[in-house]
Amino acid sequence: MSEGEVFHEKQRLELCAIHALNNVLQERVFTKETADDICKRLAPQCVVNPHRSVLGTGNYDVNVIMAALQSRELAAVWWDKRRTVQSLCMSKVQGFILNVPSRVSLGIVSLPLRRRHWLAVRQVNGQYYNLDSKLKSPVCIGGEAELRTFLSEQLSQDVAEMLLVVRREVEEDGSWLNSDNPK
């Protein structure tokens, strides 16, 4: 990846959690095999692993994402949607992983089903990007004000959730939240 280029993995199977992790880290770190290993560590006695699809196609849950980030000295902070995104201290957040509803399609046919989808957002070269693996390429969101609007719009969906990707010490001291806002 050359300087100024934005790393962006595209959707394959049900591996959106892996793509979101790699996109937020801006490098290929995790694979299906590493995610499957994490699943086995999380549920070593289970014949059917509760942290991934029974079909072996991915569909990893939040526990896999959190364990993967911990292996990189990072943490995932679950965002309380009752707070306003204005209370985020953006300089302390390395990126965002969102879980949003997504339409299911077979080729060009869209089915009347809704599934959950993981996507990443992060700053690269001073601009924030939507790094959703279902997109053909990264979409520039803009600066901090545009990011706050984007996140607010995403979180306004009833079932959308957001994880803040932060360094472990930032999670521990709570500095991802602006000090003028109560914890």
Side-chain angles (χ1 to χ4, degrees):
M1 190 168 86
S2 64
E3 188 176 327
E5 196 173 320
V6 179
F7 179 87
H8 180 244
E9 279 187 358
K10 293 189 183 119
Q11 187 70 26
R12 189 172 67 81
L13 299 173
E14 293 180 294
L15 303 178
C16 58
I18 294 168
H19 302 314
L21 284 162
N22 291 337
N23 287 342
V24 84
L25 296 172
Q26 283 295 282
E27 63 179 312
R28 184 175 162 86
V29 176
F30 298 102
T31 63
K32 181 181 181 310
E33 292 72 27
T34 56
D36 286 342
D37 288 344
I38 291 169
C39 287
K40 289 174 192 161
R41 282 198 323 268
L42 290 171
Q45 306 301 320
C46 293
V47 175
V48 176
N49 196 295
H51 302 290
R52 65 176 178 209
S53 165
V54 294
L55 301 175
T57 56
N59 199 23
Y60 301 102
D61 72 10
V62 69
N63 298 293
V64 176
I65 289 174
M66 294 175 87
L69 290 170
Q70 287 169 356
S71 76
R72 304 282 295 181
E73 300 299 318
L74 295 168
V77 175
W78 204 285
W79 179 252
D80 182 346
K81 291 186 345 179
R82 294 172 295 184
R83 290 189 168 148
T84 171
V85 294
Q86 301 305 321
S87 60
L88 275 171
C89 182
M90 295 296 188
S91 64
K92 298 287 187 168
V93 180
Q94 290 198 339
F96 306 87
I97 296 179
L98 287 87
N99 190 251
V100 297
S102 178
R103 294 200 182 282
V104 177
S105 59
L106 292 171
I108 61 169
V109 178
S110 184
L111 302 175
L113 303 170
R114 305 279 287 182
R115 301 270 322 258
R116 309 288 296 173
H117 177 65
W118 295 106
L119 67 93
V121 174
R122 92 161 267 164
Q123 187 179 45
V124 178
N125 299 320
Q127 295 293 306
Y128 288 94
Y129 287 87
N130 178 350
L131 301 168
D132 185 344
S133 58
K134 288 187 173 185
L135 296 171
K136 289 182 181 175
S137 61
V139 172
C140 183
I141 295 168
E144 198 173 296
E146 292 83 5
L147 173 66
R148 290 181 194 279
T149 300
F150 173 85
L151 294 175
S152 294
E153 288 170 357
Q154 293 295 313
L155 293 172
S156 70
Q157 302 175 72
D158 284 341
V159 293
E161 299 294 339
M162 181 169 72
L163 300 172
L164 312 178
V165 178
V166 298
R167 299 224 45 86
R168 215 175 258 171
E169 60 272 10
V170 169
E171 176 200 29
E172 291 167 3
D173 68 17
S175 59
W176 50 270
L177 194 59
N178 282 324
S179 58
D180 56 337
N181 288 280
K183 288 187 180 175

